[in-house]
Amino acid sequence: MCRWLAYSGAPVNLEELLFKPQHSLVMQSKHSTMGATTTNGDGFGVGWYGAGERPGIFTSTEPAWNDRNLRELSAVASSRRVFAHIRASTGSAVQQTNCHPFRHGNWLWMHNGVLAGFPRIKRDLVLAVAPELFPAIEGTTDSELLFFLALTFGLEQDPPAAVARAVGLVEETARRHGIGNPVQMTVATTDGETTWAFRYSSARVSRSLFHSTSVSTLRHQYPDNPLLHELSDGARLVVSEPLGDLKGAWREVPESSCVAVHGAGEELSDFEPLAP
Amino acid sequence: MCRWLAYSGAPVNLEELLFKPQHSLVMQSKHSTMGATTTNGDGFGVGWYGAGERPGIFTSTEPAWNDRNLRELSAVASSRRVFAHIRASTGSAVQQTNCHPFRHGNWLWMHNGVLAGFPRIKRDLVLAVAPELFPAIEGTTDSELLFFLALTFGLEQDPPAAVARAVGLVEETARRHGIGNPVQMTVATTDGETTWAFRYSSARVSRSLFHSTSVSTLRHQYPDNPLLHELSDGARLVVSEPLGDLKGAWREVPESSCVAVHGAGEELSDFEPLAP
Amino acid sequence: MCRWLAYSGAPVNLEELLFKPQHSLVMQSKHSTMGATTTNGDGFGVGWYGAGERPGIFTSTEPAWNDRNLRELSAVASSRRVFAHIRASTGSAVQQTNCHPFRHGNWLWMHNGVLAGFPRIKRDLVLAVAPELFPAIEGTTDSELLFFLALTFGLEQDPPAAVARAVGLVEETARRHGIGNPVQMTVATTDGETTWAFRYSSARVSRSLFHSTSVSTLRHQYPDNPLLHELSDGARLVVSEPLGDLKGAWREVPESSCVAVHGAGEELSDFEPLAP
Amino acid sequence: MCRWLAYSGAPVNLEELLFKPQHSLVMQSKHSTMGATTTNGDGFGVGWYGAGERPGIFTSTEPAWNDRNLRELSAVASSRRVFAHIRASTGSAVQQTNCHPFRHGNWLWMHNGVLAGFPRIKRDLVLAVAPELFPAIEGTTDSELLFFLALTFGLEQDPPAAVARAVGLVEETARRHGIGNPVQMTVATTDGETTWAFRYSSARVSRSLFHSTSVSTLRHQYPDNPLLHELSDGARLVVSEPLGDLKGAWREVPESSCVAVHGAGEELSDFEPLAP
């Protein structure tokens, strides 16, 4: 499937974030250790917030590990909020419009997982997207469609509720088509100020998800770790798999839950789909 | 918009067909003289029939004029029936799934033109596609959607009637959305045995379309022309614009008509949309 | 051949610079009016200086007019010094390592033109590159090789003299191989502080080159022109062809000359090759 | 590094050859089991002989596992002699001109391995290429340069001797630069009639290499194996790693040896570099 990383905090250089950690996201594109696939080489994407409200997006169909532009961009760009994603396609075409993160206005969305039986339920799900949002769908993935369902159900007003309704609709639609356990997901979404990350699967066997703990505490524990000196006290990371093996640095996000990261604080809550 | 070429006849080498003519399709990718745009550099595609029933498809997002693989493939491949298309996007993404020709089973389809106001009518058109065909839509263009509407309306049984119904549906849908003159098209489709080419636009000001005349007659007239010696007596070409300025070699396909090419013969008929 | 643009001044948003002018560089990729070719669709590149000394480089083999990442990057990035180039290959492969601008340390280099008979003189020219610089050659173009010859001859110490020696060597080498009028070039190079632009050809029939005049004077003349309000008083542009038809805004760089732009001032001098 | 496959025999469909075996080359692009790297996703290439003497070449910078055109081409193309290669770059750029197999006239060449310290010895090696061959070098890899050295030393007349002299030159050049054990290689080359495959490394610890045994014997042993029914009696494969675990189907090529495959027969000989 895929791997992703969501950063928030004081502006950090993208090279420090994406390339330099011991088990960096770019390294995971070739050697993921906890993913459903070891290789995540079907394109990648980075979304980052700058001066304006609307984030920039850089996507490519090349593997992250050999993309020249990703290395160049990372060397010069810094950002206070970064979404980065490496893709292992579960069937849809390898093309830029299928690369995460997806964007709508000032929102970003990225997904690791799959909607089982997607070709059979896609038409019904497409019909459930608000007609005024429909023309903004650019690609053909299950992930982007889930984003547009969440937008339809009020993502911009109440993200946890909107995602719960989107997932509920997918499960109900799949049930009608005789597809069991349709949803497998870790999802991150942000409006540029708060990041919400979800870990859920219909079968309650979800892909791995972790968030970072307090940087200042860690810095006391590991005064010699270089990454910790790059990060601000308020820095927060939510990741598919830890970027290193520093003890105490990572906490698993529990099954069927949502973590909201705002400033230096995070709030954990249960996540349950809401049937339509 | 785009330019295309449909060949049928004795197997011809693709390099002879696509690169060598005086005003070849590959040259048109940079210097079209009759197209809506002089540059058709937003990808290209070639579909060709070999031993099996199902044609092969080679597509690329690179401009045709500088694609190494197109040149290589053309040098070695020969085929009795070839569809080739160079693209100038009217808005949808430049990606392989948006490159013509599109394929369904043993059928090919390619389009030059545009459905005006497509983002506003796309949802209604998508809903009109037969649910069992819906999952086979791979890209996001108006051209591919028109193909799937024609398939929905019986393209495989009666091509002219199916295209008439598809175009009629688009015009009716556009009317409901207050969009005038929605259809601009030259379309070619084939089942591997017969090619049907359509020239039509709602405003009756359609893009250019030509078919070749008898190769044997021309060969008597121009005994020194090398292309004519490459082509068999039964060879037939339908093209967006003539591949050279040989007098008598090209005949314009009239406005609002369909030409069916089967073997060395062609049959011209009127084309009128069929309202739903 | 190619088209390029060199900007210096207060930080300017890349979208304002590359996309918005009436006759922008991106538009020139499809419709150049003064170039040797109207289409410059064989890739492109942007080099821009940020916080560090080393500029970033973004290159692509796609045409500039349809590249999603160029549009994204341009929307978010601003820079005080920008080199941008759109390519029309004169024979070498369309690949990122052949895209301009080329970089060495904090230096950038881009070229419009061609070295005639390049395949025949390439080996001799490669041998003339300083052995310690040789491993840094990444691509296969005449343009990059000219850069490395200039570096060999002291570009970093005295740019006009180094370019004069590089060009002199090319002319002498070509003469030995019986190739007349080998050099056709407009070249721009910068260390991040000063830009030197050269207009020269062995036959004294060089490609077009222009530099902008005083922005503050223009702003008084054209109080309503939006681009002029984006640009700072000290902004300076050197371009293959004017970005608009504002009277008085552009001054042609004379045949066989070099213009050095430092801060808001520019200095014009004669350019003559220096035979080895 | 890389993985490759060389086929000769009655014309075989490329899909049968590249995709269908249990441990196919395309599968090795993601999951090589005997290679220096498990992922070989930095592009690929296929060279195949058709009607003419000059083979066609299809290369791409995409990973083989997700390339649409490779799948299409493989479905329709058949060939009596196929070279296929999946790349894991050891440093040079991921671009089509660096994809194997390389071609010169009717010859093909592909390489798995590396020349250690290549940036330091490249200039000397380039100078040793025959000046009349120099302009034909298209890319920047050690592999292609080794090909041109072999061509310089008479590959077209006596392949084993030419490769021995090329390798000898590399070892001598490396020694002068203080680089130990410079050569690591398995190489295949063909003129369209005979395939020569070499397994050698300066340290005598060479990458894996295997050739197939008699298809007719195997077919008696395994009457139900589908691949064996696709292959002709005279079919021969030389591969970096076996395409399946059929007992008796594969024989390791010994360290420091050359196997020449002509028709259904193969001839094994020792390989030793020849110092200049």
Side-chain angles (χ1 to χ4, degrees):
Chain A
M1 316 229 165
C2 313
R3 304 274 84 186
W4 55 254
L5 163 166
Y7 169 85
S8 56
V12 68
N13 174 254
L14 266 59
E15 194 172 21
E16 299 293 335
L17 190 65
L18 303 179
F19 285 86
K20 296 215 176 150
Q22 186 188 340
H23 186 60
S24 72
L25 192 71
V26 170
M27 175 165 299
Q28 290 174 40
S29 68
K30 225 171 193 168
H31 301 293
S32 160
T33 51
M34 308 180 74
T37 54
T38 53
T39 309
N40 297 277
D42 297 326
F44 68 88
V46 179
W48 74 104
Y49 290 82
E53 285 213 333
R54 196 172 184 250
I57 285 188
F58 174 74
T59 58
S60 167
T61 60
E62 306 283 329
W65 73 74
N66 76 23
D67 192 275
R68 295 168 72 93
N69 286 326
L70 176 60
R71 197 165 275 278
E72 289 288 330
L73 179 68
S74 296
V76 297
S78 292
S79 172
R80 59 181 168 85
R81 191 167 293 265
V82 181
F83 269 35
H85 185 276
I86 52 176
R87 187 165 180 241
S89 168
T90 55
S92 30
V94 178
Q95 54 196 24
Q96 284 184 285
T97 53
N98 285 352
C99 289
H100 311 221
F102 302 101
R103 177 180 60 199
H104 188 74
N106 56 319
W107 285 76
L108 290 178
W109 174 278
M110 59 188 173
H111 172 222
N112 165 32
V114 67
L115 303 189
F118 183 57
R120 287 154 66 198
I121 57 174
K122 184 175 183 183
R123 189 173 180 273
D124 286 358
L125 299 182
V126 163
L127 297 197
V129 171
E132 65 276 15
L133 289 171
F134 177 88
I137 299 175
E138 282 200 294
T140 57
T141 59
D142 49 359
S143 305
E144 187 191 20
L145 192 46
L146 197 59
F147 180 28
F148 275 84
L149 289 172
L151 284 165
T152 297
F153 292 135
L155 182 69
E156 290 156 296
Q157 286 75 48
D158 183 345
V163 174
R165 291 184 60 194
V167 171
L169 178 79
V170 173
E171 294 192 331
E172 169 60 24
T173 306
R175 199 170 304 129
R176 279 203 331 268
H177 286 266
I179 300 164
N181 292 330
V183 177
Q184 173 60 261
M185 75 175 205
T186 68
V187 154
T189 188
T190 182
D191 60 356
E193 296 303 324
T194 303
T195 294
W196 293 265
F198 302 85
R199 185 181 183 206
Y200 175 77
S201 57
S202 308
R204 290 354 185 227
V205 194
S206 301
R207 302 280 173 245
S208 57
L209 191 65
F210 297 83
H211 67 88
S212 62
T213 55
S214 158
V215 169
S216 57
T217 310
L218 286 168
R219 210 182 283 122
H220 280 110
Q221 264 182 282
Y222 304 95
D224 301 332
N225 187 291
L227 178 63
L228 295 173
H229 285 275
E230 290 298 326
L231 297 180
S232 59
D233 278 6
R236 281 289 176 273
L237 281 156
V238 188
V239 297
S240 295
E241 49 191 87
L243 307 184
D245 52 13
L246 217 56
K247 259 194 193 130
W250 304 97
R251 192 170 299 144
E252 195 175 11
V253 176
E255 183 67 56
S256 303
S257 63
C258 165
V259 57
V261 180
H262 187 81
E266 72 252 334
E267 201 179 331
L268 200 70
S269 55
D270 289 345
F271 175 82
E272 277 305 311
L274 215 62
Chain B
M1 316 230 166
C2 314
R3 304 275 83 185
W4 55 255
L5 164 165
Y7 169 86
S8 56
V12 68
N13 175 254
L14 267 57
E15 195 173 21
E16 298 292 336
L17 191 65
L18 303 180
F19 285 85
K20 295 214 177 150
Q22 187 188 338
H23 186 61
S24 72
L25 193 71
V26 170
M27 176 165 299
Q28 291 173 42
S29 68
K30 225 174 195 166
H31 301 294
S32 160
T33 52
M34 308 181 73
T37 53
T38 53
T39 310
N40 296 277
D42 297 326
F44 68 88
V46 179
W48 74 106
Y49 290 83
E53 284 213 334
R54 197 175 184 250
I57 284 189
F58 174 72
T59 57
S60 167
T61 59
E62 305 284 329
W65 72 75
N66 76 23
D67 192 275
R68 293 168 74 93
N69 286 326
L70 177 60
R71 196 165 275 277
E72 289 289 330
L73 178 68
S74 297
V76 298
S78 293
S79 172
R80 58 180 169 84
R81 191 168 293 265
V82 181
F83 270 33
H85 185 276
I86 51 175
R87 187 166 180 242
S89 168
T90 55
S92 28
V94 177
Q95 54 194 23
Q96 284 184 285
T97 53
N98 285 351
C99 289
H100 312 220
F102 303 102
R103 177 180 60 199
H104 187 74
N106 55 320
W107 285 75
L108 290 179
W109 173 279
M110 58 187 172
H111 173 223
N112 164 32
V114 66
L115 302 189
F118 182 57
R120 286 152 66 196
I121 58 175
K122 184 175 184 182
R123 187 171 183 274
D124 285 359
L125 299 182
V126 163
L127 297 196
V129 171
E132 65 276 15
L133 288 171
F134 177 87
I137 299 176
E138 283 201 292
T140 57
T141 59
D142 49 359
S143 305
E144 187 191 20
L145 192 46
L146 196 59
F147 180 30
F148 275 84
L149 289 173
L151 285 164
T152 297
F153 293 134
L155 182 71
E156 290 157 297
Q157 286 74 48
D158 182 347
V163 174
R165 289 184 63 194
V167 171
L169 179 79
V170 173
E171 293 192 331
E172 169 61 24
T173 307
R175 199 170 302 130
R176 279 205 330 268
H177 284 83
I179 298 165
N181 292 329
V183 177
Q184 172 61 260
M185 77 175 203
T186 68
V187 153
T189 188
T190 183
D191 60 355
E193 297 302 325
T194 303
T195 293
W196 292 265
F198 301 84
R199 185 180 183 207
Y200 174 77
S201 56
S202 308
R204 278 23 175 210
V205 194
S206 302
R207 301 280 173 245
S208 58
L209 191 65
F210 297 82
H211 68 87
S212 63
T213 55
S214 159
V215 168
S216 57
T217 311
L218 285 169
R219 210 184 281 121
H220 281 111
Q221 263 183 281
Y222 304 95
D224 301 333
N225 187 292
L227 178 61
L228 296 173
H229 286 274
E230 291 298 326
L231 298 180
S232 60
D233 278 7
R236 280 289 177 274
L237 281 156
V238 188
V239 297
S240 295
E241 48 191 88
L243 306 185
D245 52 13
L246 217 56
K247 257 191 195 132
W250 304 97
R251 193 171 298 146
E252 195 175 12
V253 176
E255 182 67 57
S256 303
S257 63
C258 164
V259 57
V261 180
H262 187 81
E266 71 253 334
E267 202 178 329
L268 200 71
S269 56
D270 290 344
F271 175 81
E272 277 305 311
L274 215 62
Chain C
M1 315 228 164
C2 314
R3 304 274 83 184
W4 56 254
L5 164 165
Y7 170 85
S8 56
V12 68
N13 174 254
L14 266 58
E15 195 173 22
E16 299 292 336
L17 191 65
L18 302 179
F19 285 85
K20 295 213 175 153
Q22 187 188 339
H23 186 61
S24 72
L25 193 72
V26 170
M27 176 166 299
Q28 291 174 41
S29 68
K30 226 174 195 167
H31 301 294
S32 160
T33 52
M34 308 180 73
T37 53
T38 53
T39 309
N40 297 278
D42 297 326
F44 68 88
V46 180
W48 74 105
Y49 291 82
E53 283 213 335
R54 197 175 183 249
I57 286 189
F58 174 73
T59 58
S60 167
T61 59
E62 306 284 329
W65 74 75
N66 76 23
D67 192 274
R68 295 168 72 94
N69 285 326
L70 176 60
R71 197 166 276 276
E72 288 289 331
L73 178 69
S74 296
V76 297
S78 292
S79 172
R80 59 182 168 82
R81 191 168 294 264
V82 181
F83 270 34
H85 184 276
I86 52 176
R87 188 166 179 242
S89 168
T90 55
S92 29
V94 178
Q95 54 196 21
Q96 284 185 286
T97 53
N98 285 352
C99 289
H100 312 218
F102 303 101
R103 177 180 59 199
H104 187 74
N106 56 321
W107 286 75
L108 289 179
W109 173 279
M110 59 187 173
H111 172 222
N112 165 32
V114 66
L115 302 188
F118 183 57
R120 286 152 67 196
I121 57 174
K122 185 175 182 181
R123 188 172 182 272
D124 285 358
L125 299 182
V126 163
L127 297 196
V129 171
E132 65 276 16
L133 288 172
F134 177 86
I137 299 177
E138 282 200 294
T140 58
T141 59
D142 49 359
S143 305
E144 188 191 19
L145 192 46
L146 196 59
F147 180 30
F148 275 84
L149 289 173
L151 285 164
T152 297
F153 292 135
L155 182 70
E156 289 155 296
Q157 286 74 49
D158 183 346
V163 174
R165 290 184 62 195
V167 170
L169 178 79
V170 173
E171 292 192 331
E172 169 61 24
T173 306
R175 199 171 303 130
R176 279 204 330 268
H177 286 266
I179 298 165
N181 292 329
V183 177
Q184 173 60 263
M185 77 175 204
T186 68
V187 153
T189 189
T190 183
D191 59 356
E193 296 303 324
T194 303
T195 293
W196 293 265
F198 301 84
R199 186 181 183 207
Y200 175 77
S201 57
S202 308
R204 281 13 178 216
V205 194
S206 302
R207 301 280 174 245
S208 57
L209 190 65
F210 296 82
H211 68 88
S212 63
T213 55
S214 158
V215 169
S216 56
T217 311
L218 285 169
R219 211 184 281 123
H220 280 110
Q221 264 182 281
Y222 304 94
D224 301 333
N225 187 292
L227 178 62
L228 296 173
H229 286 274
E230 290 298 327
L231 298 180
S232 60
D233 277 8
R236 281 288 176 274
L237 282 157
V238 188
V239 296
S240 295
E241 49 191 88
L243 307 184
D245 51 14
L246 217 57
K247 260 196 193 128
W250 304 97
R251 191 171 298 145
E252 195 175 11
V253 176
E255 183 67 56
S256 303
S257 62
C258 165
V259 57
V261 180
H262 188 80
E266 71 253 334
E267 201 178 331
L268 199 71
S269 55
D270 289 344
F271 175 81
E272 277 304 311
L274 215 62
Chain D
M1 317 226 166
C2 313
R3 303 277 83 185
W4 56 255
L5 163 166
Y7 169 85
S8 56
V12 69
N13 174 253
L14 267 58
E15 195 172 20
E16 299 292 336
L17 190 65
L18 302 179
F19 285 86
K20 295 212 176 151
Q22 187 188 338
H23 186 60
S24 72
L25 192 71
V26 170
M27 176 166 298
Q28 291 174 40
S29 68
K30 226 173 193 167
H31 301 294
S32 161
T33 52
M34 308 180 73
T37 53
T38 53
T39 309
N40 296 276
D42 298 326
F44 67 88
V46 179
W48 74 106
Y49 290 83
E53 285 212 333
R54 197 174 184 248
I57 285 188
F58 174 72
T59 57
S60 167
T61 59
E62 307 283 329
W65 72 75
N66 75 23
D67 191 275
R68 295 167 73 93
N69 286 325
L70 177 60
R71 198 165 275 276
E72 289 287 330
L73 179 68
S74 297
V76 298
S78 292
S79 172
R80 59 181 169 83
R81 190 167 294 264
V82 181
F83 269 34
H85 185 275
I86 52 175
R87 187 165 179 241
S89 169
T90 56
S92 30
V94 178
Q95 54 195 23
Q96 283 184 286
T97 53
N98 285 351
C99 288
H100 312 219
F102 303 101
R103 177 180 61 197
H104 188 75
N106 55 321
W107 285 76
L108 290 179
W109 174 279
M110 58 187 174
H111 172 223
N112 164 32
V114 66
L115 303 188
F118 183 58
R120 285 154 63 197
I121 58 174
K122 184 176 184 182
R123 188 172 181 273
D124 285 358
L125 299 181
V126 163
L127 296 197
V129 171
E132 65 275 15
L133 288 171
F134 177 87
I137 299 175
E138 282 200 292
T140 57
T141 59
D142 49 359
S143 305
E144 187 191 21
L145 192 46
L146 196 59
F147 180 29
F148 275 85
L149 289 172
L151 285 165
T152 297
F153 293 135
L155 181 70
E156 289 156 296
Q157 286 75 48
D158 183 346
V163 174
R165 290 184 61 196
V167 171
L169 178 79
V170 173
E171 294 192 331
E172 169 60 25
T173 306
R175 199 171 304 129
R176 279 204 330 267
H177 284 82
I179 299 164
N181 291 330
V183 178
Q184 173 60 262
M185 77 175 203
T186 68
V187 154
T189 188
T190 183
D191 61 355
E193 297 303 324
T194 302
T195 293
W196 293 264
F198 301 84
R199 185 181 183 205
Y200 176 77
S201 56
S202 308
R204 276 28 173 205
V205 194
S206 301
R207 302 281 173 244
S208 58
L209 191 64
F210 297 82
H211 69 88
S212 63
T213 55
S214 159
V215 170
S216 56
T217 311
L218 285 169
R219 211 184 281 122
H220 281 110
Q221 265 184 281
Y222 305 95
D224 301 331
N225 186 291
L227 179 63
L228 296 173
H229 285 273
E230 291 297 326
L231 297 180
S232 59
D233 277 7
R236 280 290 176 276
L237 281 157
V238 188
V239 296
S240 295
E241 48 191 87
L243 307 184
D245 51 14
L246 217 57
K247 257 192 194 134
W250 303 98
R251 192 171 299 144
E252 194 175 11
V253 176
E255 183 66 55
S256 303
S257 63
C258 165
V259 58
V261 181
H262 186 82
E266 70 254 335
E267 202 179 330
L268 200 70
S269 56
D270 289 345
F271 175 82
E272 276 305 312
L274 215 63

